[in-house]
Amino acid sequence: MAGHSHWANIAAKKGVIDKKRGKLFGKLSRAIIVAAQHGGGDPGMNLALRYAIDKARKASMPKENIDRAVKKGCGELSGENFEELVYEGYGAAGVAVLCDILTENRNRTAGEIRKIFEVHGGNLGSTGCVAWMFERKGLFLVPCENVEEDALFEIALEAGADDVSANGDVYEVTCSVEAFQQVADIFEEKKIPTNLAEISRIPDTTVDLGVEDGKKVLRLMEALEDHDDVQSVTANFNIPDEIMAEVTAD
């Protein structure tokens, strides 16, 4: 299982998102604010805002929180000005790590993210050091128990997806950024549930990890995810199925 969906599955199974629901709402609000700042407050005309709002709704974020974030982005309510950044670095065994950041203080955030990398056996790198290893794509994780592979394959490809593949107990569907909303709409129309639906960074190659390096990388990923300014974390690791249980036992 490749790193882009690997971490998403692990995070879901370990309850990383549910344990940090309050923190998650704060991150989702930031994404909505920035999307509204850049493209206006109408999700029908602003796909980035529509995507951010859909993601917030799937996380059960209250409507009033969503509306307040849109108003802040449109300047109707006062709020912080967030800067969009991408921090790049390396984890154990040379694993490439990308962090999408929204921050109101880049100096503070840079210091805190650098410290997280160092504590977990990695290091923060310079701009461009690992970004070239990743490609932005739409990514959906569909539970295998909810749909037959042949049916999903037909629906996804007709909607504009590039590929459908089985990874453990989920099907991984990828598409271009441009086709993301169309595929998402078709899945909703066909009532196909997803564990994950997001625009992600897909690695070109992955690094196979053993038990010890696997544990170090997962601890780094969790620590980065826990930071308020981090919107998403992507890495190019792969943990073979035969040692996955041992790596995630803690």
Side-chain angles (χ1 to χ4, degrees), residues 138-177:
L139 173 65
F140 300 84
L141 299 183
V142 180
C144 293
E145 63 185 11
N146 294 122
V147 63
E148 293 292 331
E149 183 173 7
D150 288 345
L152 178 63
F153 188 86
E154 182 177 347
I155 292 169
L157 265 60
E158 285 185 0
D162 297 328
D163 190 36
V164 178
S165 59
N167 276 326
D169 57 358
V170 298
Y171 296 117
E172 178 182 301
V173 181
T174 55
C175 65
S176 66
V177 173

Side-chain angles (χ1 to χ4, degrees), residues 5-52:
S5 59
H6 214 28
W7 169 242
N9 271 306
I10 294 168
K13 289 176 180 177
K14 296 185 76 173
V16 171
I17 301 301
D18 289 338
K19 286 188 291 186
K20 303 178 175 67
R21 186 161 296 275
K23 189 183 293 288
L24 174 63
F25 287 170
K27 294 185 179 190
L28 292 169
S29 291
R30 291 189 185 196
I32 293 171
I33 289 169
V34 171
Q37 286 174 338
H38 289 177
D42 181 0
M45 301 295 292
N46 182 348
L47 284 179
L49 178 60
R50 181 178 173 182
Y51 167 60

Side-chain angles (χ1 to χ4, degrees), residues 86-89 96-100 117 130-131 134 201 232-235:
V86 177
Y87 288 170
E88 307 173 42
V97 182
L98 275 177
C99 303
D100 287 294
F117 270 95
V130 301
F134 297 80
R201 299 178 187 273
S232 65
V233 185
T234 309

